[in-house]
Amino acid sequence: MDRDEYLERLGATTDESADLFEHFEQRSFDGRTYHVLSDARHGLERGTVIVEDADAVVRGYPSIPRLLVLEPGVQSFFEDHETVVVEEKLDGFNVRLADIGEPLAFTRSGYVCPYTTARARKLLSLEAFFDEYPEQVLCAELIGPETPYTATDYEGVDTHDFRVFGVRDRESGDPLSVADRRAICETYDFNQPRLFGRAPPESAAELVRDTIAELDAAGREGVVMKSETGDAMVKYTTEAQHHGELAYAFSLPFDHGRDFVFSRLIREAFQAAEFDEDEDRLQARAHDLGESILVPMVEAIQDVDDGETIGHRHTVRGDVGSIDALFDHLHDQSMTLEIEADRREDGQRVVEFVKVAESSRDRITYYLEGGTRTE
Amino acid sequence: MDRDEYLERLGATTDESADLFEHFEQRSFDGRTYHVLSDARHGLERGTVIVEDADAVVRGYPSIPRLLVLEPGVQSFFEDHETVVVEEKLDGFNVRLADIGEPLAFTRSGYVCPYTTARARKLLSLEAFFDEYPEQVLCAELIGPETPYTATDYEGVDTHDFRVFGVRDRESGDPLSVADRRAICETYDFNQPRLFGRAPPESAAELVRDTIAELDAAGREGVVMKSETGDAMVKYTTEAQHHGELAYAFSLPFDHGRDFVFSRLIREAFQAAEFDEDEDRLQARAHDLGESILVPMVEAIQDVDDGETIGHRHTVRGDVGSIDALFDHLHDQSMTLEIEADRREDGQRVVEFVKVAESSRDRITYYLEGGTRTE
């Protein structure tokens, strides 16, 4: 690989290719070799991929910052002259679909997911799109109750589906404007996240606040605010999302990082300080927060005590090949899986399985047996 | 300093004095030099001190492990033949009082606290004790509403006082038995933590459970269970303590570690799984937990928004010299202090001050001004 050439094409903020390339990991998929940047470095996003035999670069998807306070957050984040577009943020699995000789789905961290690749090829008219836009990536969320990664229900999605929330230049990462992206997605029948409206920065906080109230009532995740050009993005989430994530984390307390917990609590507090004008509202939020943390954790302890397997439960549905490839992929990532059901429905294979949470199971067992904790 | 000689006296688990002594820090107090082990190493406790000019070693106070589950925890922790003594665990400032030519109060991490030293000399008959037991340390908790470190109220303690919970050999760290220690403390009129009873390991959990219920109702911290010899110790705390500590932590969310939070939540869950037999009880605990986290954090955000100083408030009372020495000591530790009141009462100086929580103040200000968070 001519590292200097890639260094230049990527536009990294270092002059020494060695500085950058020591952070690339070599991986392979389907007999092809690719190089992945496993952490954000030198101005490049985590998950940036180089596929040498296709002479291709796929930029990582940028990390989207978060506002904790809408006023004055929205106004200080965007430039005065910009138009702020408010779209729904979905709880799914974020992939970049790129045509590297064939369309592949790259995860945030730069793995090729064979299952998501197969489902995208099935559900999206990728050939037609990449015929016209070979140098672009589709940034899409795999959503629905039947995916190997998330299980959040969305109205109208019985099993799983994609939502395309970005179209970007594969190499530079430059996005299309929101208007262009939405038009192109309509042309190819790609479903997209809901668009709640456009507003100048000084009134966008109000639009977001109303939108968040609506999404919160429906148990949805939140919004991404984008400049019309697509260049600036910032997110904001609902109380339902914070509590849902805490419940998810504490259902397997020793598998999810401590940082995970703290950051969600911080979000809650700033939102409460901004939104909860009376004490009853604050108290109701506090009670719900406490239940989100404690109840799933107590259930996990009781489950382990009862000898049950604890972990995240998923159902996946697809043709036999893509399901096989998925399980190979999950095993490659050293996951311990328990298959709970494996059947055929309408010519498809349907598998229900648990990603076993070994750390939580083992720590809980240790404490239940009288183990001590030293802090 | 003859390092090999100290190595042997300390009985560290390394043969190389260099291995150990690179972890000792040199400090000074009142013109005297001493060496402190800043982290537990090679079988020696954090805060172990060598005072060369007195040819003295003061062993660090051991870290006490914690049970998360009383049954079978208590029984598996203690040997079958041991007697378990249940004493109250107090929320105060843990010091070792040792006679190094003069009596000094060493903190857990091995600093000499001039204020605690002065108060101990005043309130405890140290001269008489050290006359008889020059090679022992008194392990004591400085408690009460008026201390520079904690502010928990204890019945009968209007300002501050000491509770002696251990007498140990200065050099080996070997404890006196509980019975001997309690008898000696009575002789010298040293106050001690309450003793709730003695039981064999198979029935001690029940004693602890009853004791915890009583302490919880009174808003107290918990218990330390000790073998009668004093060699084995393990602690267990109340719901009131967990919630109190969370409220304390989240009143200054960016100053208290994330580990702090996680460990308290884990304690709560195991206690709830063991004790909360019906759903109403669990829900009440969850609600209280949620309030402990959210309400103080929202108040901190509102205080910063209102331009108020946030931090821990303390009142101290003593002779002019010890109060001056205290503030020198706190300033040496790079604390930012705000004095809110400074007056004389009955010949003593009384100072109310805030340890300013700069991290929380600065982070909260940043987010309130619209700063973004990247996770």
mmCIF file of all heavy atoms in Angstrom, chain B residues 6 9 32-33 50-57 99-102 170:
data_model
loop_
_atom_site.group_PDB
_atom_site.id
_atom_site.type_symbol
_atom_site.label_atom_id
_atom_site.label_comp_id
_atom_site.label_asym_id
_atom_site.label_seq_id
_atom_site.Cartn_x
_atom_site.Cartn_y
_atom_site.Cartn_z
ATOM 1 N N TYR B 6 14.317 -1.003 57.104
ATOM 2 C CA TYR B 6 12.872 -0.734 57.115
ATOM 3 C C TYR B 6 12.097 -1.794 56.337
ATOM 4 O O TYR B 6 11.001 -2.199 56.717
ATOM 5 C CB TYR B 6 12.573 0.670 56.560
ATOM 6 C CG TYR B 6 12.802 1.748 57.589
ATOM 7 C CD1 TYR B 6 13.873 2.627 57.489
ATOM 8 C CD2 TYR B 6 11.936 1.874 58.686
ATOM 9 C CE1 TYR B 6 14.089 3.605 58.444
ATOM 10 C CE2 TYR B 6 12.146 2.854 59.650
ATOM 11 C CZ TYR B 6 13.220 3.719 59.527
ATOM 12 O OH TYR B 6 13.416 4.683 60.472
ATOM 13 N N ARG B 9 11.651 -4.596 58.666
ATOM 14 C CA ARG B 9 10.700 -4.294 59.748
ATOM 15 C C ARG B 9 9.261 -4.280 59.237
ATOM 16 O O ARG B 9 8.326 -4.668 59.935
ATOM 17 C CB ARG B 9 11.029 -2.938 60.376
ATOM 18 C CG ARG B 9 12.235 -3.012 61.305
ATOM 19 C CD ARG B 9 12.726 -1.636 61.713
ATOM 20 N NE ARG B 9 11.746 -0.888 62.494
ATOM 21 C CZ ARG B 9 11.941 0.375 62.890
ATOM 22 N NH1 ARG B 9 13.069 1.015 62.559
ATOM 23 N NH2 ARG B 9 11.032 0.999 63.600
ATOM 24 N N ARG B 32 9.592 18.394 60.294
ATOM 25 C CA ARG B 32 10.069 17.011 60.333
ATOM 26 C C ARG B 32 9.780 16.326 58.999
ATOM 27 O O ARG B 32 8.738 16.551 58.382
ATOM 28 C CB ARG B 32 9.364 16.233 61.439
ATOM 29 C CG ARG B 32 9.624 16.825 62.801
ATOM 30 C CD ARG B 32 8.861 16.084 63.850
ATOM 31 N NE ARG B 32 9.430 14.777 64.122
ATOM 32 C CZ ARG B 32 8.925 13.946 65.030
ATOM 33 N NH1 ARG B 32 7.852 14.280 65.726
ATOM 34 N NH2 ARG B 32 9.485 12.783 65.243
ATOM 35 N N THR B 33 10.696 15.478 58.598
ATOM 36 C CA THR B 33 10.538 14.775 57.328
ATOM 37 C C THR B 33 9.961 13.390 57.572
ATOM 38 O O THR B 33 10.349 12.716 58.518
ATOM 39 C CB THR B 33 11.918 14.633 56.658
ATOM 40 O OG1 THR B 33 12.404 15.947 56.406
ATOM 41 C CG2 THR B 33 11.807 13.863 55.349
ATOM 42 N N ILE B 50 6.899 6.249 57.354
ATOM 43 C CA ILE B 50 8.170 6.071 58.050
ATOM 44 C C ILE B 50 8.634 7.447 58.532
ATOM 45 O O ILE B 50 8.737 8.377 57.724
ATOM 46 C CB ILE B 50 9.251 5.474 57.120
ATOM 47 C CG1 ILE B 50 8.842 4.066 56.669
ATOM 48 C CG2 ILE B 50 10.620 5.444 57.813
ATOM 49 C CD1 ILE B 50 9.759 3.480 55.600
ATOM 50 N N VAL B 51 8.845 7.578 59.849
ATOM 51 C CA VAL B 51 9.377 8.836 60.385
ATOM 52 C C VAL B 51 10.796 8.535 60.851
ATOM 53 O O VAL B 51 11.017 7.937 61.909
ATOM 54 C CB VAL B 51 8.529 9.369 61.561
ATOM 55 C CG1 VAL B 51 9.018 10.770 61.968
ATOM 56 C CG2 VAL B 51 7.056 9.420 61.192
ATOM 57 N N GLU B 52 11.731 8.945 60.005
ATOM 58 C CA GLU B 52 13.106 8.527 60.203
ATOM 59 C C GLU B 52 13.707 9.038 61.503
ATOM 60 O O GLU B 52 14.332 8.277 62.240
ATOM 61 C CB GLU B 52 13.942 9.060 59.050
ATOM 62 C CG GLU B 52 14.694 7.983 58.329
ATOM 63 C CD GLU B 52 15.508 8.618 57.240
ATOM 64 O OE1 GLU B 52 14.974 9.509 56.536
ATOM 65 O OE2 GLU B 52 16.691 8.246 57.121
ATOM 66 N N ASP B 53 13.488 10.323 61.801
ATOM 67 C CA ASP B 53 14.183 10.875 62.974
ATOM 68 C C ASP B 53 13.659 10.277 64.284
ATOM 69 O O ASP B 53 14.299 10.393 65.326
ATOM 70 C CB ASP B 53 14.175 12.411 62.962
ATOM 71 C CG ASP B 53 12.799 12.992 63.185
ATOM 72 O OD1 ASP B 53 11.896 12.281 63.649
ATOM 73 O OD2 ASP B 53 12.619 14.188 62.868
ATOM 74 N N ALA B 54 12.472 9.641 64.205
ATOM 75 C CA ALA B 54 11.969 8.948 65.400
ATOM 76 C C ALA B 54 12.169 7.435 65.288
ATOM 77 O O ALA B 54 11.720 6.686 66.157
ATOM 78 C CB ALA B 54 10.480 9.261 65.585
ATOM 79 N N ASP B 55 12.804 7.028 64.177
ATOM 80 C CA ASP B 55 13.009 5.602 63.923
ATOM 81 C C ASP B 55 11.682 4.848 64.040
ATOM 82 O O ASP B 55 11.617 3.757 64.621
ATOM 83 C CB ASP B 55 14.036 5.042 64.929
ATOM 84 C CG ASP B 55 14.465 3.633 64.525
ATOM 85 O OD1 ASP B 55 14.514 3.360 63.306
ATOM 86 O OD2 ASP B 55 14.716 2.811 65.426
ATOM 87 N N ALA B 56 10.611 5.445 63.483
ATOM 88 C CA ALA B 56 9.274 4.879 63.695
ATOM 89 C C ALA B 56 8.583 4.556 62.381
ATOM 90 O O ALA B 56 8.748 5.249 61.379
ATOM 91 C CB ALA B 56 8.411 5.873 64.475
ATOM 92 N N VAL B 57 7.801 3.493 62.431
ATOM 93 C CA VAL B 57 6.943 3.104 61.318
ATOM 94 C C VAL B 57 5.505 3.162 61.811
ATOM 95 O O VAL B 57 5.216 2.707 62.919
ATOM 96 C CB VAL B 57 7.277 1.664 60.884
ATOM 97 C CG1 VAL B 57 6.203 1.117 59.976
ATOM 98 C CG2 VAL B 57 8.645 1.606 60.227
ATOM 99 N N ASP B 99 2.244 8.142 68.552
ATOM 100 C CA ASP B 99 3.176 8.988 69.312
ATOM 101 C C ASP B 99 4.569 8.904 68.686
ATOM 102 O O ASP B 99 5.316 7.958 68.924
ATOM 103 C CB ASP B 99 3.217 8.517 70.771
ATOM 104 C CG ASP B 99 4.122 9.420 71.617
ATOM 105 O OD1 ASP B 99 4.512 10.503 71.119
ATOM 106 O OD2 ASP B 99 4.419 9.031 72.753
ATOM 107 N N ILE B 100 4.883 9.916 67.889
ATOM 108 C CA ILE B 100 6.185 9.959 67.209
ATOM 109 C C ILE B 100 6.995 11.056 67.902
ATOM 110 O O ILE B 100 7.266 12.108 67.324
ATOM 111 C CB ILE B 100 5.983 10.337 65.723
ATOM 112 C CG1 ILE B 100 4.843 9.534 65.093
ATOM 113 C CG2 ILE B 100 7.268 10.165 64.931
ATOM 114 C CD1 ILE B 100 5.092 8.045 65.074
ATOM 115 N N GLY B 101 7.317 10.826 69.182
ATOM 116 C CA GLY B 101 7.900 11.921 69.954
ATOM 117 C C GLY B 101 6.802 12.830 70.470
ATOM 118 O O GLY B 101 6.814 13.278 71.607
ATOM 119 N N GLU B 102 5.810 13.069 69.641
ATOM 120 C CA GLU B 102 4.587 13.794 70.035
ATOM 121 C C GLU B 102 3.428 13.087 69.338
ATOM 122 O O GLU B 102 3.634 12.435 68.309
ATOM 123 C CB GLU B 102 4.679 15.261 69.578
ATOM 124 C CG GLU B 102 4.890 15.340 68.072
ATOM 125 C CD GLU B 102 5.069 16.757 67.530
ATOM 126 O OE1 GLU B 102 4.647 17.707 68.202
ATOM 127 O OE2 GLU B 102 5.595 16.878 66.407
ATOM 128 N N ARG B 170 1.840 -0.326 66.071
ATOM 129 C CA ARG B 170 2.225 0.697 65.116
ATOM 130 C C ARG B 170 2.978 0.113 63.930
ATOM 131 O O ARG B 170 2.801 0.533 62.792
ATOM 132 C CB ARG B 170 3.140 1.677 65.855
ATOM 133 C CG ARG B 170 3.167 3.032 65.312
ATOM 134 C CD ARG B 170 3.855 3.939 66.291
ATOM 135 N NE ARG B 170 5.292 3.668 66.367
ATOM 136 C CZ ARG B 170 6.121 4.245 67.234
ATOM 137 N NH1 ARG B 170 5.642 5.122 68.110
ATOM 138 N NH2 ARG B 170 7.390 3.960 67.244
#
